[in-house]
Amino acid sequence: MRFWEIGKRNLKEIYRNPVLLGFLLGMPVVFMLVFCSAFGQGTVEPVRLSVVDEDQSQASAAFVESLERIEVVELWGEVYSEEAWAKEDMEAGRISLYLLIPRGFQDAAAAGQSVDLGVVYEGADPMAGLRVKPVLEAAGSQFLGMPAPVNVEMKGVESKIENEIVNFFAPGIIVFGLMILISVTAEVIAADREKGFLARMLTTPAKPWEFILGYSLPFIPVLIASTLIYLGVGMAMGLTIVGNLGHAFLIFFLTGLSAVGIGMIVGSLIKSESQAAICWVFIVPLAMISGAWWTVEAMPQGLQNFAGGLPFIHAINASRSVINGVPLSAVMGDLYWLVAWAVVLFSLGIVFFSKRMVG
Amino acid sequence: MDAIETTNVTRKFNGLVAVAGIDLKIRKGELFSLLGPNGAGKTTLVRMLCCLLRPTAGTAFIMGHDITKESFKVKGLIGVSPQDTVLSERLNCWENLSLVGKMHRISSEEVRECSKELLQTMGLMERAGEQVKNFSGGMKRRLSIAMSLVHDPAVLFLDEPTLGLDPQARRAVWEHIALLKKEKTILLTTHYMEEADSLSDRIGIIDEGKIVALGTPEELKRDFFTGCGMVIRAEDIPVGIMQELCGRYARVERINGGVEISHGELDFHEVVEYLFSRGVIVSSATLKQPTLEDVFIQITGKKLRE
Ligand SMILES: Nc1ncnc2c1ncn2[C@@H]1O[C@H](COP(=O)(O)OP(=O)(O)OP(=O)(O)O)[C@@H](O)[C@H]1O
Ligand SMILES: [Mg+2]
């Protein structure tokens, strides 16, 4: 198994290189610590949330009632039955944020289907919208996941989230952290090409796929370790995993694979280690349009569609949902997208690598 | 079937012709040396034969396998020691050797046996367990050669194997190469005349991408060196007289404790008389045996770097 031997060699080159190892494992720690200390500590005022209940059903009323138990949310004013009135009040400055429960909520709940809950916030206070979003998502999915909504025990489920800002942003931060692997993997291949070591290996009968696997393999333990660090430090610092930790891990793992796959492609194409810097030309914009640091809803639709074609927006959406308690089955679309990208990227890596085997 | 056969193999780099249509047949078990000045195209030729570069025209066969169409078969048969020493810097000697061995699907035991032997020959046993990044240039070089041998290849490419080695290590490598002769086909590039002269069955002199002379060392010396030369031992020849000598003869070179002169036809007495008449005390004068270096200079008009 040549790829295994190449992988072993590359792993040794990494773990015997204290600087690189320090970067790979230290960066997640620092990243998460800084992020969580920035947003994780301050005491948070409850958000004043108004409700528009267009459904006017038993289920919707029960749902609104359940929201009262969420600590970070303070239900504000009367429950509107039509959105127009809420809009009017918002324009008049009486409310700044409202939740829209659409018509058909009860039917959907009974049928076990999902519903798009709307959150509308005043432009002046975008943070309020961001803060309640994960909480409402969690509450809504939890509520709709039950077969008989009227009898739901909702006690304190959503209030598990200690700090909704951390919960909202952490997935994006982690995905961005994993995207840095793009440049690291590209560098590792390019350095070997530049020094001529790859040429030496290319005089042996190893196949392109064996090289691609051999160069990605050592990043599997790196990926596992850094994902665990991200989640571990995050949880120690205020990230609440409402949903399944294993599922969240799986999503981050697939994200990392895509990053390594892109790194393999770039590494196959560039000539020298220093050229790996070009990765940053797309890592940062990619992180931006994928919503690593903010919500993408405000972006133009065209850009949203474009980002939707790429893997990372799905990684952020899926991990955010799963962390906030949405079952994995509800994000299978995102998950398939990630798997498909990983397969495509690695195949492309092999194609590009074999093109560059002979000069 | 020849071990290495090239037909009009050519490589251009954006207009620069590095290898200009070389036809070469190297028999199985032969040790063939490529001799040429810097930039002659030696490395480019070797890289094509190792399937690292695609020929712009022509092709070559290694043990009957086409380098462009059956590259993986070819790669299974060859061992390569590249001109620039490249090792996996954070691995130790054993691990470097085993990596190459495993690429050729050699069993761990065999790799271990073979590595032991090679490390002994190359004088690396004592520090075999150390990461090679701290090794000296010469030690790395020796490991690099060992890496080309660990899988016991049928055809061996050694691109300037003894570059940067001290005389003792160079001799050890030569002895090892001599042992491999007959058993393997070896293509060696070098700029050490002594190396080419003593080791090679045949030598090809390459200049500007073309083979300009081909034959056994003796044939080359016999057929291509037409002039004659002499070595004169004399104390302190003044600069003025050196200049006069340069005016009279094709090649004049000051050597330690005397001067070396080469010319198409050289009258032994005339030279000595002339020096006497200018007051130079000649302690000895001998005719010089033609060396490969002379042949080389005669053919290419260039000196090999030393
Ligand atoms: N990758 C490349 N791109 C462009 N030109 C190249 C490349 N490789 C080699 N050349 C050119 O081809 C010519 C032959 O180079 P090559 O390395 O084969 O010479 P050489 O005989 O091995 O010389 P040396 O004794 O210095 O090693 C040189 O002019 C060199 O500049
Ligand atoms: Mg060379």
Side-chain angles (χ1 to χ4, degrees), chain A residues 67-87:
Chain A
L67 293 178
E68 278 172 14
R69 300 192 206 110
I70 305 175
E71 275 169 39
V72 294
V73 171
E74 181 187 353
L75 288 186
W76 187 249
E78 59 190 308
V79 173
Y80 301 94
S81 56
E82 282 191 33
E83 194 180 1
W85 297 339
K87 273 210 174 106

Side-chain angles (χ1 to χ4, degrees), chain A residues 1-3 5-6 8-9 12-14 16-18 195-208 210-211 354-355 357-359, chain B residues 11 47 50-54 72 75-76 78 80-82 86-92 95-96 98-100 102-105 131 144 147-148:
Chain A
M1 291 212 290
R2 296 193 188 108
F3 76 89
E5 298 293 331
I6 300 174
K8 252 173 37 187
R9 177 262 172 183
K12 284 178 189 164
E13 284 281 345
I14 291 173
R16 290 177 187 173
N17 182 345
K195 290 189 209 120
F197 185 77
L198 200 55
R200 164 156 236 161
M201 296 299 285
L202 287 173
T203 64
T204 72
K207 304 282 188 311
E210 291 169 317
F211 281 102
S354 51
K355 289 236 180 301
M357 267 172 91
V358 193
Chain B
R11 175 69 199 209
R47 285 172 64 83
C50 302
C51 312
L52 289 175
L53 275 179
R54 204 174 277 115
F72 288 104
K75 288 174 184 190
I78 61 173
V80 185
S81 167
V86 277
L87 308 168
S88 192
E89 298 280 320
R90 286 191 167 76
L91 301 190
N92 61 33
E95 291 166 332
N96 266 295
S98 143
L99 180 63
V100 178
K102 293 289 182 179
M103 289 303 107
H104 288 273
R105 303 232 161 96
Q131 288 184 27
S144 181
M147 281 166 77
S148 67

Side-chain angles (χ1 to χ4, degrees), chain B residues 19 36 52 59 65 74 91 140 181 198 211 223 231 268 293:
Chain B
V19 172
L52 289 175
T59 188
H65 299 294
V74 170
L91 301 190
K140 287 183 178 176
K181 264 179 83 163
S198 64
I211 299 278
D223 300 346
V231 179
F268 198 80
E293 174 108 41

Side-chain angles (χ1 to χ4, degrees), chain B residues 115-132:
Chain B
S115 305
K116 212 191 234 168
E117 217 179 288
L118 284 166
L119 290 172
Q120 225 115 41
T121 320
M122 298 293 168
L124 289 167
M125 205 39 136
E126 263 173 48
R127 299 183 61 181
E130 252 178 74
Q131 288 184 27
V132 302

Side-chain angles (χ1 to χ4, degrees), chain B residues 42-44 83 159-160 189 305:
Chain B
K42 303 182 291 293
T43 300
T44 306
Q83 178 169 356
D159 198 351
E160 313 218 357
T189 82
R305 84 213 114 115

Side-chain angles (χ1 to χ4, degrees), chain A:
Chain A
M1 291 212 290
R2 296 193 188 108
F3 76 89
W4 188 255
E5 298 293 331
I6 300 174
K8 252 173 37 187
R9 177 262 172 183
N10 289 326
L11 186 62
K12 284 178 189 164
E13 284 281 345
I14 291 173
Y15 78 69
R16 290 177 187 173
N17 182 345
V19 177
L20 182 57
L21 194 65
F23 173 74
L24 286 174
L25 299 183
M27 187 199 56
V29 176
V30 174
F31 228 59
M32 226 39 203
L33 275 179
V34 170
F35 164 72
C36 290
S37 347
F39 294 99
Q41 298 307 316
T43 53
V44 194
E45 290 281 306
V47 178
R48 284 174 176 172
L49 177 72
S50 305
V51 177
V52 178
D53 181 4
E54 292 187 333
D55 201 41
Q56 295 290 323
S57 61
Q58 256 187 328
S60 63
F63 179 57
V64 172
E65 201 193 313
S66 77
L67 293 178
E68 278 172 14
R69 300 192 206 110
I70 305 175
E71 275 169 39
V72 294
V73 171
E74 181 187 353
L75 288 186
W76 187 249
E78 59 190 308
V79 173
Y80 301 94
S81 56
E82 282 191 33
E83 194 180 1
W85 297 339
K87 273 210 174 106
E88 202 171 287
D89 275 359
M90 186 175 275
E91 270 157 32
R94 284 187 284 271
I95 64 171
S96 60
L97 175 73
Y98 65 81
L99 165 72
L100 178 67
I101 303 172
R103 244 163 237 118
F105 181 84
Q106 174 153 281
D107 297 343
Q113 290 162 350
S114 71
V115 178
D116 289 332
L117 294 172
V119 175
V120 180
Y121 56 86
E122 207 185 4
D125 187 12
M127 278 313 264
L130 294 184
R131 285 176 57 194
V132 291
K133 192 170 183 288
V135 178
L136 292 175
E137 254 173 16
S141 66
Q142 203 78 27
F143 191 88
L144 289 164
M146 301 292 159
V150 201
N151 303 319
V152 177
E153 267 300 305
M154 292 287 295
K155 236 178 280 164
V157 175
E158 303 74 20
S159 59
K160 269 190 195 163
I161 296 180
E162 287 168 32
N163 185 317
E164 61 294 348
I165 295 183
V166 167
N167 260 48
F168 182 76
F169 283 110
I173 298 288
I174 296 175
V175 167
F176 175 69
L178 294 172
M179 285 168 79
I180 293 174
L181 286 178
I182 294 175
S183 85
V184 181
T185 42
E187 259 170 52
V188 167
I189 292 198
D192 273 347
R193 188 186 294 282
E194 191 176 6
K195 290 189 209 120
F197 185 77
L198 200 55
R200 164 156 236 161
M201 296 299 285
L202 287 173
T203 64
T204 72
K207 304 282 188 311
W209 68 268
E210 291 169 317
F211 281 102
I212 290 295
L213 272 196
Y215 275 90
S216 343
L217 223 51
F219 286 101
I220 304 287
V222 168
L223 188 53
I224 293 175
S226 50
T227 304
L228 290 178
I229 294 173
Y230 279 123
L231 289 171
V233 175
M235 284 161 79
M237 299 287 292
L239 173 68
T240 320
I241 311 282
V242 181
N244 186 308
L245 183 61
H247 293 164
F249 180 85
L250 173 70
I251 291 163
F252 289 128
F253 183 77
L254 289 172
T255 311
L257 277 191
S258 284
V260 172
I262 296 176
M264 289 292 135
I265 293 177
V266 178
S268 298
L269 293 174
I270 60 179
K271 290 202 175 86
S272 67
E273 194 178 355
S274 56
Q275 287 177 351
I278 61 157
C279 291
W280 291 98
V281 172
F282 58 84
I283 290 178
V284 172
L286 210 52
M288 286 179 180
I289 62 168
S290 302
W293 302 309
W294 50 66
T295 46
V296 292
E297 271 107 65
M299 289 194 320
Q301 194 56 43
L303 197 56
Q304 280 188 48
N305 293 344
F306 174 71
L310 302 171
F312 298 107
I313 199 168
H314 299 281
I316 294 172
N317 283 343
S319 56
R320 191 175 283 155
S321 304
V322 165
I323 284 178
N324 289 337
V326 177
L328 192 67
S329 55
V331 296
M332 279 320 263
D334 291 317
L335 208 65
Y336 290 144
W337 206 250
L338 285 176
V339 173
W341 264 109
V343 172
V344 167
L345 288 168
F346 275 86
S347 312
L348 281 178
I350 293 169
V351 170
F352 286 123
F353 189 89
S354 51
K355 289 236 180 301
R356 288 294 307 277
M357 267 172 91
V358 193

